[in-house]
Amino acid sequence: MTKATLSPGIAERHGWMMAGRIEEYALIGDLGTAALVGADGSVDWLCLPRFDSPSCFAALLGEERHGHWRLAPAAPDAALVDRRYLDDTLVLATHWRTSRGEARVLDFMPRRTREPRLVRIVEGLSGSVEMRGELRARFHYGRVMPWVRRTGHHRVAVAGPDSLWLSVPTGVHTYGAGAGADGCTRSEFVVAAGQRTVFVLTWQPSHVATPTRFDAGKSLRQTVAGWERWSAACRYQGPWRAEVMRSLLTLKALSYEPTGGIVAAPTTSLPEWIGGERNWDYRFCWLRDSSLTLAALLRGGYREEAASWRRWLLRAIAGDPARLQALYGVAGERALPESVADWLPGYRGSRPVRVGNAAVGQMQLDVYGEVADTLHRALAAGIPMERQVWSLFRSLMTAVAERWREPDEGLWEVRSERRQFTHSKVMCWVAADRAVRMAEQTGLPAPVDQWRELRDTIHADVCAHGYDARRGVFTQCYGSRQLDASALLLAQTGFLPPTDPRVVRTVDAIRQDLAVDGFVRRYDVREPDVPGSSPDLTGGEAGDGLHGTEGAFLACNFWLAEALALGGRPEEGAEVFARTAAVGGELGLLSEQWDPATGSQLGNAPQAFTHVALVNAAFALADVAAAGRAPG
């Protein structure tokens, strides 16, 4: 296969040693973990058995030798025709063409009943196509080369507690298992029109003898049918159904079914800027991201996920609410220490590669508001408020009342000193506001008068100290003049009406000062957000405690679209929405950030935060359009 026959993104993989563009990676998953499949047919990222387990394929953050599984035509004239998901599912179809025929590869992970599996089915479409496979299993983030052996129709890779079992179909020539210095299992075969060749990769603990029997054809039918049933429940009615449905499917795929937890992304250390240090591990459950994800799923018509997440929440935060963490493990783990995998060169040389996240030790007051808002949305969706949930929520509100005046690390998890972030105060107001509403709706015992007073006090405080009266806009933190895109959420949260002049001026100022080529940055990383400090324009340490720059934050663009729509400018909002959604390309998957200069996605992918913002903006635009068509 030559680089000239591939897409520009694939062609950048010099000798197959460089990861593809982030936007070229497709997501498949089994509601327990997920894999990223490149446009060259290579699975470059997979952690087993959970999202946060050490990876067995880590070429995404290094080279082939760090683990991958490529399955593609062997012919040098092979061309990629298209890649798409089968309807509203998580089954990926990759269509290849050579001079001798055409074939497609179906990649999926069946919803697990026991062992996690990755299934790859090669189908002949016309003529005959020579196929070639290369599987390099590397455990513990590419660091451990396993012992590979043959046993019957399996090739087995074992190291420590892990084992991978590759079932090899009859008629497929496999070689190199355990014999070569690179520990690569290679396979060659020909698929003719109408033929199917099936590969199944199964993970299980190394002390277990053999995997259970598995019918790939039956599993494919069940997987497609299961996803289609789930998708059919979506209640979105609007012009962007394809984008909304793909986002909801992605959010569902990021849920950990055994516990109800939801991860922020399935990856770690995809950089916010190529070559920079802003590389984080997102394979955990942020209360913020999980809450917002559940809100989007509820809006789409999915109640079961909300009930499951509430049960996860009760287990995760049980204990002292004053010690509420910003993030937890998928099973509610509290200890998530951050370390560096210094043997990995990082995505396109972007170091460090981090495992774990030090934000677990931060204070982020906004999470109280997100949790309260999600519980309020669940109540509105008909999910009853049990007394034990209400008791826990009252404890959370006690913590809000005691702590809302304190500085924190904020929504963006700065790694500098704590500050009085305006958004954090607004979300404390949201907590008090939703508390009052839920108490009034349920009649459950609560200090409602105290909560009302708390709500009014926080509101007045934000308007007095988080607002720059000279410019007429809300700022990033008290005493600062710097803008922050989180202020786009003032109307969405209900803190102020969307047509309030202060909101309108803030939206316009953010659009003017923080947008680059139509894409909004979170804040200006060059400007330390510390009263009295001067801007750092040299690329040195910024006000968030980090060096270098970053891309535009895609969720912020969807916030802008929603703010414009709610503020009476739906045409402008629709234009911003369409431009941002287009970043997802043919697969409809969105990462955390975007570089307008190179036209490339940045950051961990796919990102729940971004897809949540897309869903909310699409619903807002549809609601505004419907209101405009309503009589009177």
Side-chain angles (χ1 to χ4, degrees):
M1 187 181 301
T2 63
K3 290 186 288 184
T5 62
L6 302 175
S7 73
I10 308 173
E12 293 176 5
R13 294 186 66 159
H14 304 295
W16 305 110
M17 297 302 285
M18 183 181 291
R21 293 161 66 96
I22 292 173
E23 57 268 27
E24 291 181 337
Y25 282 98
L27 174 78
I28 58 175
D30 64 357
L31 306 185
T33 189
L36 294 189
V37 188
D40 62 346
S42 181
V43 181
D44 284 350
W45 182 254
L46 176 60
C47 299
L48 291 169
R50 306 192 330 181
F51 288 106
D52 56 351
S53 299
S55 67
C56 59
F57 299 144
L60 180 68
L61 300 178
E63 304 170 354
E64 285 185 340
R65 62 189 176 90
H66 295 115
H68 75 112
W69 182 15
R70 186 167 63 248
L71 186 59
D77 65 349
L80 178 62
V81 178
D82 66 47
R83 304 167 75 220
R84 61 183 179 85
Y85 288 102
L86 297 185
D87 299 321
D88 292 330
T89 76
L90 222 64
V91 178
L92 176 69
T94 304
H95 184 177
W96 295 96
R97 177 183 296 129
T98 72
S99 58
R100 297 186 60 184
E102 299 184 23
R104 74 170 180 173
V105 179
L106 299 176
D107 290 321
F108 69 99
M109 297 183 72
R111 198 166 181 169
R112 72 176 74 169
T113 55
R114 185 175 165 185
E115 308 99 336
R117 289 183 168 95
L118 170 56
V119 183
R120 313 195 76 177
I121 300 176
V122 184
E123 297 182 330
L125 302 179
S126 66
S128 62
V129 179
E130 295 180 9
M131 301 291 294
R132 178 177 297 154
E134 294 181 359
L135 190 153
R136 290 179 175 85
R138 298 291 187 272
F139 295 113
H140 198 69
Y141 305 105
R143 193 176 197 180
V144 178
M145 181 184 296
W147 169 45
V148 183
R149 72 181 192 275
R150 301 180 183 222
T151 173
H153 290 289
H154 286 93
R155 304 298 179 265
V156 187
V158 178
D162 301 295
S163 70
L164 286 175
W165 294 67
L166 175 67
S167 67
V168 180
T170 303
V172 173
H173 174 51
T174 302
Y175 59 98
D182 64 354
C184 178
T185 297
R186 296 174 171 83
S187 56
E188 295 178 352
F189 61 97
V190 176
V191 62
Q195 290 183 339
R196 268 189 172 185
T197 302
V198 179
F199 293 86
V200 180
L201 186 68
T202 304
W203 177 93
Q204 62 183 20
S206 58
H207 65 270
V208 178
T210 57
T212 56
R213 294 179 63 86
F214 180 73
D215 185 332
K218 179 181 178 181
S219 180
L220 173 61
R221 294 189 296 272
Q222 291 175 337
T223 301
V224 170
W227 281 114
E228 288 182 338
R229 282 194 303 271
W230 190 86
S231 301
C234 178
R235 66 186 183 194
Y236 172 79
Q237 299 294 327
W240 291 290
R241 187 187 183 283
E243 291 84 354
V244 169
M245 195 69 254
R246 183 51 51 190
S247 290
L248 290 172
L249 282 162
T250 301
L251 295 175
K252 175 65 173 177
L254 296 179
S255 64
Y256 186 69
E257 190 173 45
T259 66
I262 301 173
V263 299
T267 56
T268 179
S269 301
L270 289 180
E272 297 174 1
W273 195 259
I274 301 299
E277 68 170 338
R278 297 167 183 264
N279 318 318
W280 317 110
D281 192 347
Y282 279 5
R283 299 170 300 148
F284 307 112
C285 304
W286 269 255
L287 290 187
R288 174 191 310 109
D289 297 56
S290 298
S291 301
L292 294 172
T293 297
L294 259 298
L297 288 169
L298 276 172
R299 205 167 189 178
Y302 298 98
R303 291 179 50 186
E304 178 182 342
E305 288 74 12
S308 180
W309 178 80
R310 284 206 320 168
R311 291 190 292 271
W312 173 88
L313 177 69
L314 286 172
R315 295 189 300 270
I317 69 175
D320 183 2
R323 300 185 65 183
L324 186 72
Q325 294 184 181
L327 63 149
Y328 298 83
V330 295
E333 297 89 347
R334 289 175 172 266
L336 307 172
E338 184 176 299
S339 60
V340 172
D342 55 10
W343 59 90
L344 283 172
Y347 177 84
R348 302 198 173 192
S350 302
R351 293 187 178 188
V353 172
R354 292 183 169 94
V355 175
N357 199 304
V360 72
Q362 291 187 349
M363 182 169 74
Q364 298 172 22
L365 291 172
D366 65 294
V367 299
Y368 289 102
E370 272 105 20
V371 169
D373 187 60
T374 301
L375 293 175
H376 178 252
R377 289 177 183 270
L379 183 64
I383 299 175
M385 176 64 72
E386 300 93 338
R387 285 190 174 273
Q388 66 269 24
V389 179
W390 187 245
S391 177
L392 175 63
F393 179 69
R394 287 186 58 176
S395 297
L396 292 179
M397 285 307 302
T398 299
V400 173
E402 293 174 349
R403 307 193 70 180
W404 75 268
R405 293 184 183 275
E406 298 179 22
D408 71 339
E409 280 87 1
L411 167 69
W412 306 128
E413 301 177 347
V414 300
R415 297 207 171 191
S416 55
E417 71 282 359
R418 291 179 175 178
R419 299 169 219 169
Q420 301 284 0
F421 284 104
T422 301
H423 177 75
S424 295
K425 309 305 181 187
V426 170
M427 294 310 296
C428 287
W429 174 89
V430 169
D433 178 73
R434 303 319 188 252
V436 171
R437 295 191 194 187
M438 287 189 286
E440 293 173 343
Q441 292 169 16
T442 63
L444 289 168
V448 182
D449 290 340
Q450 294 179 24
W451 288 351
R452 290 195 187 100
E453 182 181 357
L454 175 64
R455 179 178 62 181
D456 294 344
T457 300
I458 297 175
H459 196 282
D461 193 75
V462 170
C463 292
H465 302 292
Y467 182 71
D468 182 353
R470 289 179 297 176
R471 191 175 179 186
V473 298
F474 285 90
T475 59
Q476 184 181 63
C477 62
Y478 288 10
S480 167
R481 299 190 65 189
Q482 184 175 348
L483 294 174
D484 191 299
S486 62
L488 293 169
L489 298 172
L490 286 167
Q492 285 92 314
T493 61
F495 185 83
L496 287 172
T499 55
D500 185 293
R502 293 168 293 180
V503 173
V504 174
R505 286 194 298 267
T506 300
V507 170
D508 288 340
I510 289 172
R511 208 174 177 187
Q512 176 180 335
D513 292 3
L514 295 183
V516 178
D517 295 332
F519 288 88
V520 178
R521 296 169 294 159
R522 297 183 294 176
Y523 49 87
D524 192 339
V525 299
R526 302 172 302 171
E527 297 183 14
D529 190 19
V530 181
S533 298
S534 59
D536 175 7
L537 305 180
T538 66
E541 184 173 319
D544 55 15
L546 297 165
H547 291 82
T549 186
E550 64 177 23
F553 206 79
L554 289 172
C556 297
N557 253 45
F558 289 118
W559 296 349
L560 174 60
E562 186 173 359
L564 290 169
L566 294 176
R569 294 184 278 180
E571 294 83 6
E572 294 178 56
E575 188 275 330
V576 172
F577 182 97
R579 181 193 323 128
T580 314
V583 168
E586 61 183 358
L587 296 173
L589 299 177
L590 296 165
S591 67
E592 183 180 32
Q593 301 191 19
W594 174 255
D595 180 4
T598 62
S600 301
Q601 291 190 22
L602 296 166
N604 285 305
Q607 178 85 354
F609 207 58
T610 306
H611 284 282
V612 165
L614 182 152
V615 172
N616 289 337
F619 269 100
L621 287 164
D623 291 345
V624 169
R629 293 192 298 268

